[in-house]
Amino acid sequence: MTRRDLAAMIAPLQRALIAAEMPVLRAHGLSMWGYVVLSALDSEPIRTQAALAEFIGADKSRIIGVLDELEDQGFLQRTRDPADRRARLLAITDEGRRKRNAVQAEIQRNEDRLLGRLPLDDRSAFLRALATLSALPPQ
Amino acid sequence: MTRRDLAAMIAPLQRALIAAEMPVLRAHGLSMWGYVVLSALDSEPIRTQAALAEFIGADKSRIIGVLDELEDQGFLQRTRDPADRRARLLAITDEGRRKRNAVQAEIQRNEDRLLGRLPLDDRSAFLRALATLSALPPQ
DNA sequence: TATTGTTATACTCTATAACTATA
DNA sequence: TATAGTTATAGAGTATAACAATA
């Protein structure tokens, strides 16, 4: 029995999900990477920019503009690490957490509409499978 | 009950799938878009470049270099449409079909290794769900 | 005038390589 | 000398606009 390539099926789905996120993010004044950063800081204890960059799979130079903007918006604080004055410690603010939660709620509401097309047990199996596969080591 | 964003789970999976495809494609002398084009032509009756571009969700100007290369490689033929001499009719060659099938077999073998991490019924539900969600209209 | 395929141009993303300040 | 963060530069990928041939 033949099937389509996984990547070929996932690509349009990913496109659709991102297209649905865009207006939500824009309405909240967040960039895609800004949302990714807030989500990372909200769910994991991350200390430095280098640690953050590695966690979200981006280069350390790529996130700087994002952090600058988030800090300007008051969603993030950067403080020098007293123990190593080269490093900057990252902390999401209460406002940042609120913003992230509001955006996520809207995004997941959209996603749930999509998931609603699936039979109930396919849906939970799908989410379970995604959670497993997304957590695999890169290799 | 909270879950991660769909997009956030799909993104690393997509990255992993593409990373696994790259060496296979390179070994066969195909670009990613070249493979996409051959797959489209092999599975759907597509006549013109405009139709192909729309089918794979790319701009018509973006596929030209891809088509040039595939033609050079002998995987594709372009002929002027006698009924409308502006248009060029696309046809995958036998060699192109063979190449596409060989590449797809290798790619899916990799993918199957990933899917092997899932319990059997989750796996079929996952594939079923993906087929459904990837086929949804962009909206 | 509109459309097909093509080419040229500009823009966005990303990766890489310098640079600074600390260690 | 090495590392954290920053800035500058260059490259890839993409979108848009202009163009020639045909309708």
Side-chain angles (χ1 to χ4, degrees):
Chain A
M1 200 283 195
T2 72
R3 60 166 172 85
R4 292 173 61 205
D5 295 352
L6 280 191
M9 292 192 284
I10 287 180
L13 175 56
Q14 178 77 327
R15 262 204 300 247
L17 290 171
I18 288 178
E21 285 192 16
M22 288 308 236
V24 177
L25 290 170
R26 189 157 31 231
H28 282 273
L30 274 187
S31 69
M32 180 73 72
W33 282 109
Y35 176 62
V36 170
V37 166
L38 287 187
S39 297
L41 292 177
D42 198 13
S43 52
E44 290 280 326
I46 293 170
R47 289 173 50 82
T48 65
Q49 296 186 191
L52 171 65
E54 208 214 314
F55 182 75
I56 65 177
D59 191 87
K60 64 189 165 118
S61 69
R62 216 168 74 189
I63 61 174
I64 292 188
V66 181
L67 297 177
D68 289 345
E69 192 177 39
L70 289 174
E71 202 175 18
D72 284 349
Q73 292 171 303
F75 299 147
L76 176 77
Q77 275 195 330
R78 286 195 276 197
T79 56
R80 291 264 164 222
D81 184 349
D84 179 348
R85 295 189 43 71
R86 292 172 304 182
R88 309 184 72 172
L89 302 178
L90 302 175
I92 188 173
T93 64
D94 289 342
E95 200 185 342
R97 213 179 301 273
R98 271 197 302 275
K99 174 64 75 177
R100 187 258 173 163
N101 289 337
V103 171
Q104 186 172 47
E106 278 190 57
I107 284 177
Q108 295 209 358
R109 208 177 314 139
N110 281 339
E111 292 180 345
D112 285 339
R113 241 191 23 227
L114 267 190
L115 291 173
R117 310 271 194 134
L118 303 175
L120 212 73
D121 37 353
D122 274 14
R123 189 187 318 177
S124 52
F126 178 67
L127 288 173
R128 207 163 40 235
L130 257 192
T132 301
L133 295 178
S134 73
L136 291 180
Q139 207 259 89
Chain B
M1 197 278 193
T2 70
R3 61 166 172 86
R4 294 173 61 206
D5 295 349
L6 281 190
M9 291 192 284
I10 287 180
L13 175 56
Q14 178 76 328
R15 262 203 300 249
L17 290 171
I18 289 177
E21 286 192 14
M22 287 308 236
V24 177
L25 291 170
R26 190 158 31 232
H28 283 272
L30 273 188
S31 68
M32 180 73 71
W33 282 110
Y35 177 61
V36 170
V37 165
L38 287 188
S39 297
L41 292 178
D42 198 12
S43 51
E44 290 281 325
I46 292 169
R47 288 174 50 83
T48 67
Q49 295 186 191
L52 171 65
E54 209 214 314
F55 183 74
I56 64 178
D59 191 87
K60 63 186 166 121
S61 68
R62 215 168 76 192
I63 60 173
I64 293 189
V66 181
L67 296 178
D68 289 344
E69 191 176 40
L70 289 175
E71 204 175 15
D72 283 349
Q73 293 172 304
F75 299 148
L76 177 76
Q77 274 196 330
R78 286 194 276 197
T79 55
R80 291 264 164 223
D81 183 349
D84 179 350
R85 294 190 42 73
R86 293 172 303 182
R88 307 185 71 172
L89 301 178
L90 302 174
I92 188 173
T93 64
D94 289 342
E95 201 186 341
R97 210 179 303 273
R98 271 196 302 275
K99 174 62 75 175
R100 187 259 173 162
N101 290 337
V103 171
Q104 185 171 46
E106 277 192 57
I107 285 178
Q108 295 210 355
R109 209 178 312 140
N110 280 339
E111 291 180 345
D112 285 339
R113 242 191 21 229
L114 266 190
L115 291 173
R117 309 271 195 135
L118 304 176
L120 213 72
D121 37 352
D122 275 14
R123 188 186 318 177
S124 51
F126 178 66
L127 288 173
R128 207 163 40 235
L130 258 191
T132 301
L133 295 177
S134 71
L136 290 180
Q139 209 256 78

